[in-house]
Amino acid sequence: MSVTEETLALPETEPAGPAPLRDLVAELAARRDVAFAGPGEAATRAQHAKGKLTAHERIALLLDEGSFTEVETFRRHRAVGFGLEDRRPYSDGVVTGWGTVHGRPVFVYAHDFRVFGGALGEAHAQKIHKIMDLALAAGAPLVSLNDGAGARIQEGVTALAGYGGIFQRNTRASGVIPQISVMLGPCAGGAAYSPALTDFVFMVRETSQMFITGPDVIRAVTGEEITQNGLGGADVHAETSGVCHFAYDDEETCLAEVRYLLSLLPQNNRELPPEAPTADDPDRTAEALLDLVPTDTTRPYDVRAVIGELVDDGEFLEVHERWATNLVCALARLDGRVVGVVASQPLALAGVLDIEASEKGARFVQMCDAFNIPLVTLLDVPGFLPGVDQEHGGIIRRGAKLLYAYCNATVPRVSVILRKAYGGAYIVMDSRSVGADLAYAWPTNEIAVMGAEGAANVIFRREIAAAADPEAVRAAAIEEYRSTLTHPYHAAERGLVDDVIDPADTRRVLVRALRMLAAKHSDQPARKHGNPPQ
């Protein structure tokens, strides 16, 4: 039989006379066992049957072995009514504390779905508030392991106020300490806003869902039929909404990837990300790049292969891998130092910028800037995606988000133009004119307002229309425009590109540039905060 409060029958008050200290320590151990065991084996089996781990099992996978220190283990709610006064389990449905990941402090709270379905009440919220305050005070990352049924209905407005306290702390910690939300079960209603306020969201397929209004409410209001996973499952948020940054098949893999992400982030905004030794020669040439990227600007290629050739050991962690795939955002290391890579992806929509790519890039650039991660931008962008849907959807203000993020970033910024960089997209993607510290280009670069074909059709439209051989005149006009304004050295001649480099030397050039910029300092104007486009 499992140990529970009922089987142990612990007294509510101290015994009348003094007890020997050994007896008191034994009672303490018994109470701690009760708190750790939770509702008992049946509840644990039910949790496992859903493919989910318990709160303590998840914490054990996240943190270094034996490093977890729990706080407020014996916290119990004080609510009365609706039978709550007869159900006062220890922990109140959330486990809180700290430990280490790769030897560095990390704070964590984990909902225990076995207790009140992980629902948040007053005591539950106060435990979370406490650990969030400690994380901010200590300047260490905060990881939330979410598996809860939302606000505890029996506690009414006090439960809602508890969420307000969490949101307020999420906002205060934003850009100060890394905040990571790991969705391991349901997260509905207002509870979904806490993950949305954090830096990264992880989800597990089939077992985790996020939505503001569930399928039953949607069916009642709109008549639409949809499942929980179809509405707010991991794949939906990873591919369609962009709410989820990473999605995995099981909790073990998910938590291992959280550990990997933490290894790439600083403890707080006053520190640099941790360096890691590498055997990858910083002066290594990348000859493969000469064959990876076609000189024909209309031919696609996978920019992730380019990133793999440049970064240490070919390893990088792609953020939002399945959302807005025309832009790649990744964390990697160069010369052992963490960098953020933003790259056009010619495999998707020819690498154009659109609404979703602009949102994705802006958020990533802001995160890197907040946590002192240098930015490397790889350009092969034909412009912004044209279309009525894009214009009506707000491409102007959405594209301005990416522009604002780059202009506002004070970390070292190096850009490399691989092939084409046209129009406003060239400016937005960290051009020298918006503050890139260094800009390089390959000999395949074409930097212009638009491609030579389109430009010639505009500039020479009358000559072409009046010619006896329009195609010959058009071809001559295209060549004239290309040789005059889009040849590989035009921008370099005007100081808008610092150097035209051999693609095979790109890794060496980036390493040396970032070494030089490592101590970069940028004074900002005195202001409360900016007002970025929304």
Side-chain angles (χ1 to χ4, degrees):
M1 178 180 294
S2 63
V3 179
T4 67
E5 288 193 69
E6 289 75 16
T7 58
L8 194 61
L10 297 173
E12 288 289 331
T13 59
E14 293 292 328
L21 183 57
R22 291 186 184 276
D23 292 346
L24 296 177
V25 170
E27 180 188 335
L28 169 63
R31 287 180 180 267
R32 197 175 299 280
D33 287 343
V34 168
F36 187 87
E41 294 176 3
T44 301
R45 284 195 300 269
Q47 181 81 343
H48 289 166
K50 299 172 185 173
K52 302 197 294 184
L53 301 175
T54 66
H56 282 287
E57 289 169 341
R58 289 164 173 166
I59 291 171
L61 286 174
L62 172 68
L63 301 178
D64 296 337
E65 184 176 357
S67 69
F68 181 55
T69 298
E70 188 173 350
V71 295
E72 298 200 355
T73 304
F74 300 118
R75 189 69 178 260
R76 306 165 87 176
H77 73 75
R78 297 174 295 180
V80 296
F82 307 102
L84 285 180
E85 62 272 19
D86 299 323
R87 298 178 60 199
R88 300 180 63 234
Y90 288 136
S91 86
D92 201 54
V94 64
V95 178
T96 60
W98 74 88
T100 61
V101 173
H102 303 300
R104 298 190 302 156
V106 171
F107 289 78
V108 61
Y109 67 85
H111 297 130
D112 189 343
F113 194 82
R114 302 172 305 163
V115 179
F116 297 126
L120 180 138
E122 181 184 24
H124 183 121
Q126 289 173 349
K127 288 184 66 175
I128 295 175
H129 297 169
K130 166 75 172 181
I131 211 66
M132 295 179 80
D133 291 341
L134 283 175
L136 192 58
L142 173 72
V143 179
S144 62
L145 306 179
N146 297 271
D147 185 9
R152 195 173 297 170
I153 299 172
Q154 300 94 321
E155 295 196 31
V157 70
T158 56
L160 297 178
Y163 274 122
I166 293 173
F167 303 158
Q168 193 263 351
R169 287 168 173 81
N170 284 139
T171 304
R172 194 169 65 208
S174 180
V176 181
I177 58 172
Q179 299 180 83
I180 299 173
S181 297
V182 188
M183 316 312 296
L184 302 168
C187 185
Y193 283 116
S194 177
L197 289 168
T198 60
D199 300 299
F200 298 97
V201 175
F202 287 72
M203 294 187 74
V204 176
R205 294 184 181 90
E206 302 303 324
T207 58
S208 63
Q209 303 88 28
M210 296 174 66
F211 38 72
I212 299 299
T213 54
D216 293 341
V217 175
I218 289 176
R219 184 184 307 112
V221 174
T222 71
E224 296 172 285
E225 293 283 347
I226 193 166
T227 64
Q228 286 196 349
N229 279 320
L231 179 63
D235 289 326
V236 168
H237 287 311
E239 296 176 9
T240 305
S241 72
V243 170
C244 166
H245 298 79
F246 306 96
Y248 299 99
D249 290 331
D250 56 76
E251 294 190 12
E252 292 82 358
T253 304
C254 181
L255 292 169
E257 290 300 298
V258 174
R259 287 176 57 87
Y260 178 45
L261 174 60
L262 285 167
S263 75
L264 298 169
L265 299 175
Q267 290 293 92
N268 55 65
N269 65 340
R270 299 182 301 278
E271 297 183 7
L272 294 175
E275 295 185 26
T278 177
D280 198 343
D281 184 359
D283 289 324
R284 166 177 61 80
T285 57
E287 295 288 339
L289 293 176
L290 299 173
D291 300 313
L292 277 174
V293 180
T295 56
D296 181 354
T297 58
T298 65
R299 289 181 57 195
Y301 61 92
D302 191 345
V303 78
R304 291 172 297 186
V306 175
I307 297 170
E309 287 294 323
L310 297 177
V311 302
D312 292 351
D313 306 308
E315 294 183 359
F316 58 90
L317 178 64
E318 188 172 351
V319 179
H320 270 144
E321 179 181 359
R322 296 159 58 198
W323 180 62
T325 55
N326 41 321
L327 191 74
V328 172
C329 298
L331 293 170
R333 281 192 167 89
L334 272 170
D335 193 26
R337 297 180 174 90
V338 178
V339 297
V341 180
V342 181
S344 310
Q345 175 56 292
L347 278 185
L349 296 175
V352 298
L353 285 177
D354 62 358
I355 286 173
E356 291 185 346
S358 298
E359 297 261 12
K360 172 180 175 177
R363 177 73 170 170
F364 183 76
V365 168
Q366 288 174 173
M367 184 279 299
C368 289
D369 187 50
F371 295 117
N372 308 312
I373 299 172
L375 287 161
V376 173
T377 305
L378 306 178
L379 288 86
D380 190 352
V381 58
F384 281 94
L385 181 65
V388 174
D389 288 345
Q390 290 290 306
E391 296 295 342
H392 289 185
I395 186 62
I396 294 173
R397 62 183 174 84
R398 260 76 173 280
K401 289 186 181 183
L402 181 55
L403 177 60
Y404 186 98
Y406 268 124
C407 290
N408 201 46
T410 61
V411 292
R413 292 154 52 188
V414 182
S415 63
V416 183
I417 300 158
L418 308 185
R419 293 196 306 189
K420 55 191 176 295
Y422 295 155
Y426 155 68
I427 303 172
V428 168
M429 289 281 284
D430 208 19
S431 63
R432 277 283 302 276
S433 59
V434 300
D437 297 296
L438 290 165
Y440 297 100
W442 287 2
T444 45
N445 81 82
E446 291 183 10
I447 308 172
V449 175
M450 62 178 67
E453 292 82 358
N457 288 335
V458 173
I459 297 172
F460 300 101
R461 63 184 181 278
R462 291 180 181 174
E463 292 87 339
I464 293 170
D469 186 352
E471 289 306 316
V473 173
R474 180 182 287 107
I478 290 170
E479 182 54 34
E480 179 183 352
Y481 187 85
R482 180 175 286 122
S483 62
T484 304
L485 292 179
T486 67
H487 66 80
Y489 303 96
H490 181 74
E493 290 170 358
R494 283 151 182 79
L496 296 173
V497 165
D498 291 288
D499 199 5
V500 179
I501 63 173
D502 180 344
D505 291 335
T506 306
R507 172 178 164 83
R508 176 180 61 82
V509 168
L510 288 173
V511 166
R512 292 184 179 185
L514 292 172
R515 282 178 180 173
M516 180 274 293
L517 291 165
K520 175 185 175 182
H521 174 75
S522 178
D523 290 321
Q524 294 296 292
R527 60 182 177 184
K528 190 173 182 180
H529 55 72
N531 187 24
Q534 296 297 324

